[in-house]
Amino acid sequence: MKTMLAAIGALAILPVAAATEVAVSYSEDFAEELADNYGEREGAVLTDDIVDDLTRAFERAGIEPAKVDVTIVDAKPNRPTFEQLGAQPGLDPIRSISIGGMELIGTVYDADGNVIATEEYGWFENNIDDVFGAGTWNDSNRASRQFARRLTKQLSEN
């Protein structure tokens, strides 16, 4: 009985899943870059960031589209990925830095499958001095947050 009550209590505190389905895919070039250079697991990291950013932005705005398809056209890390560090021993996880960012395309659908918004957004840092202290995908995360804000604003205006 205690176990059953504990299980029910645990279910009660779980966050409610968002009704919006967010699907993230990669352009052919970026999929190849993941496979050949960055490592497949980095795609999952970027996907999770995009889904989280969109979910938060939609919740804040009080909107709930049925489905969002996002394509990562390109992304560049600020620091070497785990795969790059293993393949190129001369890279340093702390001192090796580069200009990063991400380009995204998104399409939003209503419950009937009609397109209700589209957004293309890309942002890449242009100053290496601003990369100091950044994480692996810092600039890409910034682009993802901006993309989510722009898409949400577009949906709110409709």
Side-chain angles (χ1 to χ4, degrees), residues 23-37:
V24 179
S25 60
Y26 315 123
S27 69
E28 285 183 33
D29 289 342
F30 184 65
E32 188 176 316
E33 189 70 25
L34 282 174
D36 295 346
N37 191 17

Side-chain angles (χ1 to χ4, degrees), residues 6-157:
I8 291 170
L11 288 174
I13 62 172
L14 285 175
V16 178
T20 301
E21 175 190 342
V22 179
V24 179
S25 60
Y26 315 123
S27 69
E28 285 183 33
D29 289 342
F30 184 65
E32 188 176 316
E33 189 70 25
L34 282 174
D36 295 346
N37 191 17
Y38 301 144
E40 296 292 336
R41 77 183 208 170
E42 301 301 331
V45 169
L46 291 171
T47 296
D48 289 345
D49 287 339
I50 293 166
V51 171
D52 290 347
D53 290 339
L54 286 170
T55 301
R56 274 193 300 277
F58 293 159
E59 286 174 358
R60 271 191 237 121
I63 58 176
E64 200 172 287
K67 182 180 178 186
V68 181
D69 286 333
V70 178
T71 301
I72 300 174
V73 177
D74 191 18
K76 304 286 185 209
N78 292 105
R79 299 204 182 270
T81 65
F82 185 76
E83 185 81 16
Q84 288 175 315
L85 290 170
Q88 302 171 41
L91 290 176
D92 184 298
I94 306 298
R95 292 180 285 178
S96 296
I97 59 172
S98 63
I99 292 174
M102 185 160 49
E103 181 181 352
L104 301 156
I105 298 174
T107 305
V108 183
Y109 301 90
D110 65 12
D112 296 326
N114 300 312
V115 174
I116 56 175
T118 59
E119 182 69 40
E120 293 184 33
Y121 181 74
W123 184 84
F124 291 85
E125 180 59 68
N126 59 16
N127 188 344
I128 195 77
D129 293 332
D130 292 337
V131 177
F132 181 77
T136 303
W137 293 104
N138 193 66
D139 288 337
S140 293
N141 293 339
R142 180 177 180 180
S144 175
R145 287 189 303 274
Q146 291 290 1
F147 171 78
R149 284 186 201 116
R150 290 170 62 109
L151 191 57
T152 301
K153 181 178 179 186
Q154 189 180 142
L155 288 169
S156 297
E157 292 173 352

